[in-house]
Every structure is written in structure tokens, then in C-alpha cells.
Amino acid sequence: MRKLGLIGGLSWYSTELYYARINRQVLLRTNGRCNAPLLIESLNFCDVGKATTSEDWNHVADVLIASARRLEQAGATALLICANSMHKVFDAVAASIAIPVIHIADSVGEKMKADAVHSAALLGTANVMAENWYRQRLVKHGVSLLPAEMEDVNDLERIIYDELMHGIVKRDSERALKTIITEIDQQDIKSVVLGCTELSMVVDTKANVLPIYDSAEIHADAGVDWILGDAN
């Protein structure tokens, strides 16, 4: 099996989800024989969280590049950045090392293409929902995306940054997400992409009116494919 590196801490709650998902899937796919060979660098979210200016994002890129290089030097053969929003600096990170970095939106887009799902609403932080760098990755895989509703963006930013990033799960927030997804269904959109790795904490991905594509789960599974040699 190949050793996989995780850049985590963005937040640590989603990193825990990645660690558990990857190990459970490796265990399942090896008939209960093996655990996943992983290297994890858990960053301090306070050092990179809620970047807004170009200067902020340059700093984020520097932090993630340094982390990627340490993981490569430690023996990782590929990397996952365990956060959707941090993929804004994906190109800079990928260019800084010789090993592959598996893009979260490509993993989701490939899964949706395989499922023949061609329309979706994207839910996440403001830079994921409203900026082109993430949306274009999904569109490249043949997915048509519902335009971002700013009222939803504001609600999701509050839930993600004020609650989920601190491990807080509120029933009101669960109901708010259910309402958003129900409204999306009424617009004849065929699926929802959870473009924040913490959103599965408040969205039941198995019990909704629409198919839910959980980016964290799909990204982790792409990491499992790499570990087991099923990905190039």
C-alpha cells in the first residue's frame, strides 16, 4: 500500500472524519486485514482561517506549501488537503512538490459524472460557493451549478465558522440546512454538493430529498483508491 499524506487541522473535526473514513474503507476493502498508512500534519486553523485579502491567501499558500513539503520529505506519495476552501491555493501547493495532490472538487466531479448527475447546488463557505475557482472544477466534469444565493451564503458562513469549526452542532442549524435543501429540490436541481468538509455534521447525507455528495467522504475515498493502488 502507498503512504498518503493529509494536511489537516482545517478544522480538526473534519480531519477526524477523514482519518476515520480512510481507515474504515481500507479495512473494508482489505477484508479486515489492514489499516491505512498515513502521515497527518494538523495545522493551526487560526493561522489560515477566514482569509479574505490577496495578502492573506499568499500567507495561506506559504503555510500549506511548507506543510506539503514536510509531508513529502516524510515519505508521503500523494497528498489530500482536508478542506474545500483551502483548495483556492491548490495550484501553488501542487506546483511546489513532486508528488500528486488530489483535488477535492475533481474527486466530487468524477463521482457525479460516473453517476450521470448533471446538475447540483453547491453549499459551503463564501469563497467556495461564489468564486469561480471551485465551481469551474465541477463544471469541467459536466455539472451545471445553481447560482449561489447570498442569503444562504451568509447563513452557511455563520453555521460553519461560528458553530461547526468549534464542534458545535445545533438543531436549528440542522433544520436550516434541511430547509435550504428542500428549496433546492423545488428548483428541479438533481443533487447537492456539500462543499465544506464539516457540513455532514448537520446534514444527514442518507436521508434527504436529493442525493447528497459529501465532498469530505468522496475525497477520503479518492485517498483510499491511491493507497490501494487503484488511482494513478
Side-chain angles (χ1 to χ4, degrees):
M1 290 193 291
R2 297 185 287 195
K3 186 174 289 185
L4 181 68
L6 306 182
I7 299 178
L10 307 166
S11 68
W12 76 261
Y13 296 99
S14 63
T15 309
E16 182 181 37
L17 295 173
Y18 271 83
Y19 182 77
R21 175 74 181 185
I22 290 170
N23 273 293
R24 288 192 186 109
Q25 289 300 106
V26 168
L27 196 67
L28 179 66
R29 290 169 60 177
T30 59
N31 295 316
R33 297 193 308 269
C34 301
N35 296 328
L38 296 171
L39 292 167
I40 303 175
E41 176 149 307
S42 187
L43 301 177
N44 177 8
F45 183 72
C46 290
D47 193 35
V48 293
K50 296 200 79 171
T52 54
T53 66
S54 295
E55 183 178 357
D56 291 340
W57 282 109
N58 288 337
H59 173 67
V60 171
D62 289 342
V63 171
L64 267 64
I65 286 169
S67 178
R69 287 173 173 166
R70 286 190 292 269
L71 288 166
E72 181 182 31
Q73 290 165 4
T77 62
L79 296 183
L80 302 184
I81 301 170
C82 301
N84 285 271
S85 60
M86 296 300 154
H87 280 70
K88 186 179 175 82
V89 298
F90 173 89
D91 290 342
V93 175
S96 73
I97 55 177
I99 61 175
V101 185
I102 301 169
H103 199 292
I104 194 167
D106 284 340
S107 299
V108 174
E110 288 163 7
K111 170 68 172 167
M112 296 178 77
K113 186 175 183 179
D115 292 346
V117 174
H118 303 298
S119 65
L122 176 61
L123 303 181
T125 57
N127 75 324
V128 167
M129 286 182 70
E131 296 180 17
N132 285 334
W133 62 269
Y134 193 101
R135 299 175 70 88
Q136 287 173 350
R137 286 273 183 169
L138 291 178
V139 170
K140 182 181 72 175
H141 295 282
V143 181
S144 174
L145 292 173
L146 185 72
E149 294 284 345
M150 289 313 299
E151 184 177 344
D152 291 344
V153 172
N154 294 334
D155 287 343
L156 287 164
E157 285 259 305
R158 176 187 56 77
I159 290 167
I160 291 165
Y161 286 117
D162 296 348
E163 298 172 18
L164 302 182
M165 290 289 187
H166 303 283
I168 299 168
V169 176
K170 293 184 176 180
R171 290 295 301 275
D172 285 349
S173 297
E174 291 175 344
R175 285 191 288 266
L177 264 297
K178 199 167 190 65
T179 297
I180 289 171
I181 292 169
T182 300
E183 291 171 350
I184 290 166
D185 180 50
Q186 293 168 354
Q187 299 182 60
D188 198 32
I189 299 298
K190 302 303 183 185
S191 65
V192 171
V193 174
L194 300 185
C196 168
T197 52
E198 285 80 16
L199 278 177
S200 63
M201 295 165 68
V202 288
V203 176
D204 186 344
T205 60
K206 309 300 185 202
N208 263 284
V209 292
L210 287 172
I212 306 293
Y213 286 83
D214 179 358
S215 59
E217 183 176 284
I218 295 167
H219 199 208
D221 289 350
V224 173
D225 289 341
W226 178 267
I227 289 170
L228 297 179
D230 295 333
N232 296 322

